[in-house]
Amino acid sequence: MAANKGQGLITAISNIHAKSGLPGFWRGLIPWAWIEASTKGGVLLFTSSEIEYHASTFGLSKTTAGVLGGMGGGVAQAYTTMGFCTFMKTVEVTRHRSTGPTQSTWAVAADIFKREGIVGINKGVNAVALRQLTNWGSRLGISRLVESTIVSLRPESTRSQKLSILERLTSSVIGGALACWNQPIEVIRVNMQSQIKDSSRPANMTIASCAKWIWKEQGIRGFYRGVTPRIGLSVYLTVCMVFGGDEIKAYFNKKN
């Protein structure tokens, strides 16, 4: 949706199904999404937990520590594992709309690497880093803010009690949904990495030139294309990595 002007959610779903059937919804899964999914969670949990812990020891609030932890974890994800994986997933989703013979995903990756080197295979990585910085800074920070707000609304005598599972789940859901304020960054990232041929697209786009092009072609609405399905994804990821991450850390803390 972010890369195809004029397609709403229903139209996009219909077009994908008509073109590729059900497998079309999993395009880019193997191997790029597998590589990304099997590595990015560990990078995020380790980095964000360390930053959040040390920020707390310096006397920073739970919300501030969460924001810093999320930002650091998000940037670490982008530059270690997500850059080339996100690029190749976008290539897989968009390249089949172009004319010409179909290549395997490995052949496409090899061709890009041969032509443009490591920079080419990581095209748009700075936009990915900016997205992940704002993604996880917001998701973790807002979740921690909601948790703190829930505690502050309790009667004084019960504020020392731990948050319930429902309260922590709710905090993660709210954090994930509100974190999608940065959808313009995601739209810019998709358009920078897209393989769709468009004569109006600037060559060798930067974040700034891409933003200018989107504004010129689609106006403010162009920056929020695809936000509805992304809210669902963001809520799911935040529940897994914030609520789920806290559960994992609590389990190992008990064992120690």
Side-chain angles (χ1 to χ4, degrees):
M1 288 174 67
N4 290 274
K5 295 175 283 187
Q7 287 193 12
L9 180 59
I10 302 301
T11 304
I13 291 172
S14 299
N15 286 348
I16 293 169
H17 189 269
K19 195 174 185 69
S20 308
L22 285 177
F25 293 97
W26 279 268
R27 192 180 295 161
L29 173 66
I30 303 171
W32 311 113
W34 277 7
I35 296 171
E36 181 184 321
S38 63
T39 54
K40 69 176 183 179
V43 172
L44 176 71
L45 275 180
F46 177 80
T47 309
S48 63
S49 296
E50 283 295 301
I51 294 173
E52 201 171 3
Y53 168 75
H54 288 292
S56 298
T57 63
F58 282 112
L60 297 179
S61 69
K62 190 176 180 180
T63 300
T64 304
V67 170
L68 293 175
M71 290 169 66
V75 171
Q77 277 186 326
Y79 287 114
T80 54
T81 184
M82 286 190 69
F84 72 93
C85 288
T86 302
F87 172 64
M88 285 308 303
K89 285 192 300 179
T90 305
V91 168
E92 283 302 295
V93 169
T94 58
R95 73 182 177 100
H96 294 289
R97 298 180 185 278
S98 304
T99 58
T102 300
Q103 294 175 288
S104 73
T105 188
W106 292 109
V108 172
D111 182 56
I112 294 170
F113 186 79
K114 184 178 179 181
R115 285 187 286 109
E116 304 177 51
I118 194 70
V119 174
I121 208 73
N122 279 280
K123 190 180 295 179
V125 68
N126 291 331
V128 174
L130 183 59
R131 182 195 71 175
Q132 293 305 100
L133 180 146
T134 53
N135 268 356
W136 287 108
S138 300
R139 289 168 181 169
L140 199 52
I142 295 171
S143 296
R144 298 301 186 221
L145 176 62
V146 175
E147 289 174 356
S148 299
T149 302
I150 290 172
V151 171
S152 69
L153 293 174
R154 288 174 170 177
E156 188 101 29
S157 59
T158 61
R159 289 182 184 175
S160 60
Q161 295 178 7
K162 289 184 177 180
L163 291 168
S164 68
I165 289 177
L166 180 60
E167 288 170 331
R168 289 187 291 116
L169 271 173
T170 300
S171 299
S172 292
V173 169
I174 294 172
L178 294 183
C180 288
W181 65 266
N182 70 347
Q183 179 67 6
I185 299 171
E186 170 68 351
V187 173
I188 290 169
R189 191 275 305 170
V190 169
N191 279 280
M192 287 180 70
Q193 296 179 336
S194 173
Q195 300 297 292
I196 294 175
K197 305 301 180 185
D198 188 332
S199 59
S200 68
R201 283 167 57 95
N204 302 316
M205 285 196 291
T206 63
I207 292 175
S209 64
C210 184
K212 185 177 179 181
W213 175 68
I214 294 168
W215 176 266
K216 179 182 176 183
E217 292 290 314
Q218 304 174 57
I220 190 66
R221 292 184 63 183
F223 288 102
Y224 288 91
R225 296 195 58 76
V227 71
T228 302
R230 187 161 176 259
I231 288 173
L233 175 64
S234 183
V235 167
Y236 160 74
L237 289 173
T238 308
V239 167
C240 289
M241 301 308 295
V242 178
F243 171 77
D246 287 347
E247 288 290 294
I248 292 171
K249 287 184 281 187
Y251 172 77
F252 283 105
N253 283 337
K254 279 183 181 178
K255 292 195 73 173
N256 294 330

